[in-house]
Amino acid sequence: DESLREGKRGLELDPLDLANNAHTGWHYLFERQYDQSLEPLRKAIELDTTFPVPQWYLGLALEQRGDLDGAIAQFDYTVRITGGNRPSMLALLGHAYGAAHRQTDAEAILRRLEELSKTTYVPSYGVAAIYVALGRKDDAFTYLEKAYDERDSWMDYLGLDPRLDGLRSDPRFGDLM
C-alpha cells in the first residue's frame, strides 16, 4: 500500500514518468486487479512505445484477464522490441503459448531457450513458468529449484505470480517458499 501511495504521489509530481506509470500497473497486476492495471500500463506505452517494461506487464495483465490472443500479440511485440533474443521475454511468450494450449509453439520457445543457454544466461524461473502452463509440474519444480539456487530475481515474485497458481497446492511449493 505504501508503495502504491508513493508511486501515485510520484505521478502527481510527474505524470509523464514512464517508470512510475509502469510501477502503478505492476502494483495492480500483482494485486490481481488486472482491469485497474491496464490504464497506467497503456499510458506508459503511449509515452514510449519502445520501453519494454510496461509492454510485458501489459502482456501479463491481458493473459490473466483471459485475453490470450492479446497477451501473445503483446509478448510477441515485446520480444521484437527487445531484439528477439532476451530469454525472459521469450519465456513470457512461451508461457502465453502454453496457457493458450499452443503446445507446439511453447515447446519451440523451450528449444530456443535451450539453444540460447549455450551462449547466455537463461533464467530458470521463466522456463519453469512455461512448464506450468504446459501442465508439467515436475519439470516446473525442477526449474524453480534451479531458479532458487541461481538466486533468480524472479523468485521475489514466487508468492505473488499468478502464473504459478497451478503449483500452490503442491507441498513442494510450500517447501520452496
Side-chain angles (χ1 to χ4, degrees):
D1 290 338
E2 181 181 348
S3 173
L4 180 60
R5 273 193 311 276
E6 294 300 322
K8 284 183 174 182
R9 177 69 179 132
L11 284 174
E12 288 171 10
L13 298 171
D14 184 0
L16 301 181
D17 184 274
L18 290 171
N20 269 335
N21 276 289
H23 172 267
T24 302
W26 168 90
H27 176 86
Y28 289 124
L29 173 67
F30 285 104
E31 285 283 325
R32 298 176 185 241
Q33 297 176 28
Y34 307 118
D35 291 339
Q36 284 186 270
S37 72
L38 299 178
E39 181 184 340
L41 294 173
R42 288 183 173 139
K43 182 174 182 178
I45 291 167
E46 183 180 302
L47 293 169
D48 183 350
T49 60
T50 64
F51 183 45
V53 174
Q55 299 282 356
W56 59 269
Y57 290 165
L58 180 59
L60 286 169
L62 293 171
E63 183 181 83
Q64 294 308 310
R65 291 180 75 232
D67 180 1
L68 296 175
D69 290 337
I72 288 168
Q74 189 65 42
F75 290 136
D76 185 59
Y77 178 73
T78 305
V79 166
R80 284 185 281 121
I81 67 170
T82 58
N85 287 313
R86 287 196 49 198
S88 294
M89 300 302 112
L90 288 167
L92 289 163
L93 178 59
H95 179 271
Y97 282 145
H101 305 289
R102 290 175 55 177
Q103 182 172 346
T104 302
D105 293 323
E107 289 174 352
I109 296 286
L110 286 169
R111 286 190 301 277
R112 191 165 168 193
L113 291 170
E114 178 66 29
E115 190 62 31
L116 280 172
S117 74
K118 295 174 184 174
T119 58
T120 191
Y121 172 66
V122 173
S124 294
Y125 186 100
V127 175
I130 297 171
Y131 282 124
V132 172
L134 291 172
R136 294 171 52 182
K137 288 184 179 184
D138 291 339
D139 291 324
F141 277 110
T142 296
Y143 276 89
L144 285 173
E145 289 168 10
K146 283 179 69 174
Y148 176 84
D149 291 340
E150 295 167 356
R151 293 181 168 84
D152 187 325
S153 64
W154 271 93
M155 290 298 287
D156 292 346
Y157 299 96
L158 187 66
L160 300 171
D161 192 340
R163 297 175 302 160
L164 303 183
D165 284 353
L167 302 178
R168 294 189 196 289
S169 64
D170 190 300
R172 294 175 289 182
F173 192 83
D175 293 342
L176 194 56
M177 287 294 292

